[in-house]
Amino acid sequence: MTHPLTLTLKIKQDPQTLAALEDLKNSFAEHVQPLIEAALRKSKLVHFARVAVIGDNEYIQVITEYDGGHREYTEFFRRELTPVFAKIFSLADGVPDVNDPAAFFEFSKNANVRTLGLSTDGAKDMNGDQSGWLFSAYDHAEVKDVLGALHAEAAE
């Protein structure tokens, strides 16, 4: 079952934080993106992922569509990308220590903006409620199935 994540953090507006944000933006493609991409490929859970800064540096978002359990997904990326999340989380107030799995999950759950509408496949959100709507062009096939089909087609 595919789930949406729209992790949205309000960025502190002090000069130090805004300077750290600019550093993140300037180093993202060369230093951060390769780390995230390697973890995403290793996970075989994530269909799509992106990081965006919106609202004139007011918010930073980590947006993904992923398969599997919410806690397992969150914990995998907490472990694989601790320094990346520490850097992103440092931009906001009230964030947990990224080394604390329970606090990281609770924070991620609370910072996840629910999509509008209702899931059409019975998916549940991180609170166990019906998820918001998430369109899937391939009927919510899991990453492993999509990759398997692509590899099978390439082998023919």
Side-chain angles (χ1 to χ4, degrees), residues 76-151:
F76 176 85
F77 287 100
R78 185 198 66 81
R79 281 191 330 268
E80 291 292 319
L81 296 170
T82 299
V84 171
F85 278 106
K87 188 176 285 194
I88 291 171
F89 281 14
S90 74
L91 301 172
D93 282 323
V95 296
D97 177 351
V98 295
N99 293 303
D100 181 339
F104 185 86
F105 177 74
E106 285 302 313
F107 181 80
S108 298
K109 178 174 73 169
N110 294 330
N112 185 27
V113 176
R114 186 183 185 282
T115 59
L116 297 177
L118 296 172
S119 66
T120 57
D121 65 346
K124 302 290 183 191
D125 66 18
M126 291 181 178
N127 292 311
D129 299 322
Q130 186 175 9
S131 288
W133 180 63
L134 177 65
F135 171 78
S136 174
Y138 41 87
D139 294 326
H140 298 280
E142 293 190 356
V143 170
K144 64 183 178 185
D145 299 326
V146 174
L147 290 174
L150 290 171
H151 291 137

Side-chain angles (χ1 to χ4, degrees), residues 64-85:
T64 67
E65 289 76 33
Y66 66 94
D67 298 329
H70 302 296
R71 194 171 295 272
E72 295 81 10
Y73 165 83
T74 304
E75 180 58 12
F76 176 85
F77 287 100
R78 185 198 66 81
R79 281 191 330 268
E80 291 292 319
L81 296 170
T82 299
V84 171
F85 278 106

